Amino acid sequence: MSGASNNGGTGLGGAANVGAGAGGQSGMSAGGMPASGGEPSSGGAPTGAAGMANGGAGTSGGGTAGAAGMSTNLVTNGTFETTSSPWWSYANNTTDYPADQTLAATNGQLCATMTAGGQNVWDEIVGLSGVALTKGQYYHISFTVTADAPRTIKFKTGLGVAPYTDYFLESVAITATPTTATPQLVDYTYLNLRDDPMAQFQFQIGKTAGTVCFDDIVLEPVPAPATPAYTTPAHSHHPFKDYKGMVKMGTAVDTPIFLSNPLHNSIVAGEFAMITPANSMKMNLIQPTQGVFDYTDTDALVAWAKQNGLEFRGHPLVWHTQTPAWLTAPDTPFTADQLLDIMYKHIDGLMSHYVGQFPYWDVVNEAVDVNKDTGVWGYRSTVWHDTIGDDFIELAFNHAHAADPAAELLYNDYNIEQKGNAKADYVFDMVKALHDKGVPIGGIGFQGHYFIEPDGTTSNGVPDMQAIRDNMARYNDLGIDVQITECDFRIGKPLDDMKTAVQNKFYADMLQVCIDAPNCSHFTVWGLSDLDSWVPSTFPEYDFAHLFDTHLMPKDDYFAMSDLFAKYNPDDGTLIGGTTGTAGATGMAGTSGMMGSSGMTGSSGMTGSSGMTGSPSSGASESKKSGGCSVTPRSNGSGPWLVSVLALLGVLLSRRRRAD
Ligand code: XIL
């Protein structure tokens, strides 16, 4: 215990008290890059799964804590009065990245000093071995931390031996500096999904030289936290999921927040109709060792989704990113036959385990890239393509279809939303050729990652909605379903009202396009909130991409979407009171007062006015298709951008003035 006080109280409740915004992702880049300029480099990204949560299964299981009310700290020396024992430290010291560190009990804290920087955050570790963890048990983790300068660290529980599976891993942005400052309290409760008598508790403190100090470390079994009730904050009182006959709204769920934040889970279950696992089905996590599948995390998510009536998207089967080292760096390169066998076994391993349970699978992800030298689009150079050949895509689809004939199989990619975009046109031709050949490709996943630049420019990051409508239409002509699978709109820092207005309009316009297209069936936002966002670690200059904020409060973009839905009758998708034309997402009058509106039982109500500008401006009486029958899109215009954004800005500013 150091002299500085901490603010005590650990408490349950699951929600993290850390100051870190993002929910602990790895720094790996993975698609979703800017539409122009930056196509992602396929290589480059570390495949190390350091950032991926793993956790385990059984959802509600709720272990019983050791003894009610009795603290059973698994950390024998967490106060560091005189010694650092039994904690050890490790520096990943290589020629390319020389690193070293010292560890000592200093002023009643455990202080690790990096004397040279590393490459990855896990290059420098402070650890405790031999922690016995029980499946289905909730654990409370708390500690205080200071550093000599602001930095982000990670902490985890996990397997201590290769392939170093992280059961639970979170990021912490340290703001308590210098090391003599009042320490910052980090406090989590999470559900552990695996029995392990020899787990490790670790702090990953690299990669920057400097000092980080810990104190008062607690890791203890506790009872299951309560599940918060959720009431939608939508002015219509209808959560997104009530409109699933028009568009099924989904979100991506990542394992760390799923295991540690009951409020997050209540919002997802209360608001959405479907989920996609953000990471747990990726090959490095689900087949970490060749032939050994670890379904634990995904099983937990699937069980929870079933309990809550949510549909599940399988994502992804064949992808070049987040792959295990045994696949990408084998001792001897795999032959084409060997790799095809691996691909088939991976598809079988996942699809047979979940056969009949997932209506949709992203079979092949991000397989198209541009040749940087020639500017010509083609198959991305990956281990799959380069070893098996051009036909790996159709082989994957055919095999997946055999594994689960009832499932809809999708090709999923980014920057393919707009007709006329070179990549989008290439992918359309590819999908059409596969379709014409009888390959069982039922849908196309438009990832939908967009953005506004830090300087406020939008030319690269805001799509032309008409081009998206046109693209959906040509897929409709083929009878191919379109799903918006990973939508988000990241904002270049710093945040301001103008950027927020552009974001609100983007989300509403995208939703309007999907509502209007007879073949656009799903709209998934890639992550619930700015708390569990993948954006800041992947695109450090950007943040604020999601519909809920870091406190899990709904943002204006949530209201922009829910107010658009409110113009429709959730039962049959008809416009309420409208007559002709579009529901008018571009008018974007629907942002709400929303400050402080939580929708969460027990917290304050909305203070703002609804902002709805009356009934829909227009609208045909036909409804969105349901059950496979379709209607003609109502509208095909998205209106002039600038006018709409300025109008919305006016609404925001006047609201602010009223608040003043
Ligand atoms: C992202 C996850 O959200 C991150 O947590 C992870 O670090 C990288 O991958 N395209 C995809 C998704 O198909 O699987 C990616 O998800 C985002 C880009």
Side-chain angles (χ1 to χ4, degrees):
M1 173 80 74
S2 73
S5 66
N6 76 48
N7 49 359
T10 52
L12 299 179
N17 286 339
V18 290
Q25 309 301 340
S26 77
M28 91 187 38
S29 72
M33 302 290 276
S36 76
E39 288 300 329
S41 59
S42 58
T47 51
M52 258 36 59
N54 261 312
T59 46
S60 56
T64 46
M70 245 172 57
S71 171
T72 46
N73 193 354
L74 303 178
V75 179
T76 48
N77 173 22
T79 54
F80 310 108
E81 298 310 328
T82 56
T83 171
S84 64
S85 178
W87 292 81
W88 48 261
S89 62
Y90 165 81
N92 185 23
N93 195 341
T94 63
T95 313
D96 288 347
Y97 298 98
D100 206 356
Q101 71 175 29
T102 61
L103 191 68
T106 307
N107 295 329
Q109 302 182 92
L110 176 72
C111 292
T113 299
M114 273 62 67
T115 52
Q119 180 186 18
N120 304 296
V121 70
W122 43 264
D123 280 347
E124 322 252 1
I125 291 171
V126 175
L128 179 71
S129 296
V131 179
L133 299 176
T134 307
K135 177 178 172 176
Q137 174 67 55
Y138 283 86
Y139 289 92
H140 170 226
I141 294 173
S142 74
F143 56 89
T144 62
V145 63
T146 58
D148 59 351
R151 66 197 290 142
T152 296
I153 63 162
K154 298 187 178 191
F155 69 92
K156 75 162 199 177
T157 58
L159 201 62
V161 293
Y164 304 111
T165 307
D166 303 336
Y167 300 162
F168 181 73
L169 186 142
E170 283 290 348
S171 289
V172 181
I174 304 177
T175 52
T177 60
T179 56
T180 50
T182 300
Q184 171 179 343
L185 177 70
V186 178
D187 191 285
Y188 268 88
T189 294
Y190 86 101
L191 171 61
N192 178 59
L193 300 178
R194 292 171 174 85
D195 276 321
D196 190 344
M198 291 298 288
Q200 283 187 7
F201 182 66
Q202 280 187 4
F203 297 106
Q204 302 179 346
I205 53 184
K207 52 192 171 181
T208 316
T211 297
V212 182
C213 297
F214 303 97
D215 202 359
D216 298 328
I217 304 174
V218 174
L219 170 61
E220 59 183 352
V222 290
T227 302
Y230 176 76
T231 307
T232 182
H235 309 123
S236 61
H237 307 295
H238 286 291
F240 289 156
K241 66 182 180 184
D242 283 5
Y243 298 92
K244 66 182 176 192
M246 299 167 62
V247 173
K248 280 180 192 160
M249 290 294 292
T251 192
V253 176
D254 211 353
T255 312
I257 194 152
F258 169 64
L259 295 176
S260 64
N261 196 317
L263 178 57
H264 163 277
N265 298 350
S266 292
I267 298 172
V268 173
E271 200 66 47
F272 292 91
M274 62 183 306
I275 53 171
T276 308
N279 284 297
S280 70
M281 296 189 79
K282 290 172 181 172
M283 198 173 182
N284 58 344
L285 296 177
I286 208 156
Q287 197 185 164
T289 303
Q290 185 171 5
V292 180
F293 290 84
D294 183 352
Y295 306 107
T296 314
D297 296 348
T298 308
D299 281 354
L301 209 46
V302 170
W304 177 84
K306 275 190 189 153
Q307 280 166 13
N308 291 283
L310 296 159
E311 281 188 352
F312 209 97
R313 301 186 76 259
H315 169 86
L317 286 173
V318 182
W319 194 28
H320 61 284
T321 301
Q322 291 176 260
T323 44
W326 66 260
L327 180 84
T328 49
D331 292 339
T332 315
F334 293 115
T335 64
D337 283 349
Q338 286 171 332
L339 198 65
L340 191 59
D341 187 54
I342 287 168
M343 186 176 87
Y344 285 163
K345 284 190 169 130
H346 188 68
I347 292 172
D348 288 338
L350 268 59
M351 293 191 81
S352 60
H353 187 76
Y354 297 110
V355 66
Q357 299 182 61
F358 299 177
Y360 318 99
W361 284 90
D362 292 334
V363 176
V364 177
N365 200 30
E366 302 179 354
V368 166
D369 200 5
V370 70
N371 181 315
K372 306 259 181 320
D373 298 327
T374 63
V376 175
W377 288 87
Y379 295 111
R380 182 189 296 273
S381 172
T382 67
V383 67
W384 302 114
H385 171 267
D386 298 350
T387 312
I388 299 173
D390 283 359
D391 57 353
F392 85 98
I393 297 180
E394 65 182 87
L395 293 173
F397 274 89
N398 286 332
H399 201 81
H401 182 61
D404 189 347
E408 180 177 313
L409 308 180
L410 293 97
Y411 175 78
N412 191 50
D413 212 330
Y414 58 90
N415 289 351
I416 61 165
E417 295 79 16
Q418 303 172 73
K419 186 177 177 183
N421 168 288
K423 181 176 179 183
D425 291 348
Y426 181 88
V427 167
F428 176 76
D429 291 343
M430 180 185 85
V431 169
K432 182 173 186 312
L434 291 170
H435 175 263
D436 290 349
K437 206 173 166 182
V439 174
I441 180 166
I444 178 87
F446 290 179
Q447 290 189 2
H449 299 290
Y450 285 100
F451 58 94
I452 183 167
E453 307 277 18
D455 68 4
T457 51
T458 57
S459 49
N460 290 337
V462 176
D464 171 355
M465 294 295 161
Q466 182 58 47
I468 300 179
R469 289 174 187 274
D470 294 344
N471 207 22
M472 288 180 175
R474 64 179 169 174
Y475 280 107
N476 193 43
D477 293 341
L478 293 182
I480 296 244
D481 180 30
V482 177
Q483 302 189 4
I484 297 172
T485 52
E486 303 185 13
C487 195
D488 49 25
F489 190 90
R490 58 186 185 268
I491 292 181
K493 299 172 195 168
L495 187 64
D496 64 33
D497 284 347
M498 188 279 288
K499 293 173 184 172
T500 303
V502 172
Q503 179 186 56
N504 298 342
K505 178 170 155 43
F506 164 83
Y507 273 115
D509 282 354
M510 281 294 273
L511 178 59
Q512 184 74 66
V513 165
C514 189
I515 288 173
D516 290 347
N519 59 331
C520 183
S521 60
H522 293 75
F523 192 127
T524 286
V525 181
W526 197 247
L528 179 72
S529 77
D530 297 338
L531 176 67
D532 57 302
S533 175
W534 71 299
V535 167
S537 60
T538 311
F539 307 98
E541 305 303 313
Y542 300 79
D543 201 351
F544 321 111
H546 304 278
L547 304 182
F548 290 75
D549 69 14
T550 54
H551 303 287
L552 298 179
M553 302 291 276
K555 301 184 348 188
D556 279 340
D557 46 0
Y558 165 85
F559 287 102
M561 295 183 91
S562 72
D563 287 351
L564 174 57
F565 270 132
K567 297 175 181 181
Y568 294 89
N569 186 331
D571 298 326
D572 61 9
T574 53
L575 275 164
I576 298 169
T579 50
T580 56
T582 181
T586 54
M588 268 304 304
T591 55
S592 70
M594 88 130 221
M595 291 297 136
S597 73
S598 76
M600 261 56 75
T601 303
S603 49
S604 67
M606 295 193 294
T607 57
S609 65
S610 80
M612 290 279 291
T613 54
S615 56
S617 55
S618 55
S621 57
E622 69 265 53
S623 65
K624 175 85 177 178
K625 82 289 178 184
S626 70
C629 54
S630 61
V631 297
T632 309
R634 277 176 211 91
S635 141
N636 58 10
S638 63
W641 254 91
L642 194 56
V643 172
S644 303
V645 169
L646 289 176
L648 179 57
L649 199 53
V651 171
L652 290 170
L653 290 175
S654 69
R655 192 185 73 207
R656 181 153 291 179
R657 275 196 294 276
R658 278 201 303 278
D660 292 342

